[in-house]
Amino acid sequence: QVQLVESGGGLVQAGGSLRLSCAASGRTFSSYFMGWFRQAPGEEREFVAGINWSGAGTVYTDSVKGRFTISRDNAQSTVYLQMNSLKPEDSAVYYCAATYLAPTRVAASYNYWGQGSQVTVSS
């Protein structure tokens, strides 16, 4: 079992930055492919970024490429999402998730989820 706790969300003006953190406890953190998802009201949960066990492999949805950076610190059992040049359309609840299956963008393939952190970007 893995427990995930997000932090770092909040309200920011367009063009600003936020860094989300996701602290993991439980089974071996480095065994998991980690992902960040987001869900806006009335929308489906959307894949944002993912990172493999070593941190050398990352993947992003097109809308955040060049603005968001995912990273992980296995010694601290933490994954991060640095969000720069934020836009109002980035507003959503952001979730971190872990999967012991193959790397994937599919939410249903993730085994563990955090409780979510609200990000609101004002125009």
Side-chain angles (χ1 to χ4, degrees):
Q1 192 77 0
V2 174
Q3 293 78 43
L4 303 173
V5 179
E6 299 100 336
S7 60
L11 173 64
V12 64
Q13 288 189 332
S17 298
L18 284 173
R19 188 175 82 154
L20 300 180
S21 299
C22 174
S25 61
R27 294 178 65 183
T28 306
F29 174 74
S30 60
S31 301
Y32 294 88
F33 182 88
M34 299 297 296
W36 284 99
F37 290 77
R38 65 187 179 187
Q39 188 167 21
E43 303 289 332
E44 292 191 356
R45 193 166 294 190
E46 173 192 26
F47 175 83
V48 175
I51 188 166
N52 73 346
W53 70 274
S54 71
T58 58
V59 61
Y60 299 91
T61 194
D62 286 347
S63 62
V64 308
K65 284 180 181 177
R67 300 189 298 122
F68 290 13
T69 302
I70 187 172
S71 61
R72 68 191 294 163
D73 183 340
N74 287 337
Q76 298 296 322
S77 298
T78 302
V79 62
Y80 304 97
L81 185 67
Q82 177 67 44
M83 304 184 292
N84 299 329
S85 301
L86 282 160
K87 305 175 181 180
E89 51 264 43
D90 294 318
S91 297
V93 177
Y94 282 71
Y95 300 89
C96 72
T99 178
Y100 49 74
L101 302 176
T104 177
R105 299 171 180 249
V106 178
S109 296
Y110 283 77
N111 307 103
Y112 305 104
W113 291 86
Q115 82 287 354
S117 182
Q118 178 70 49
V119 171
T120 303
V121 185
S122 63
S123 57

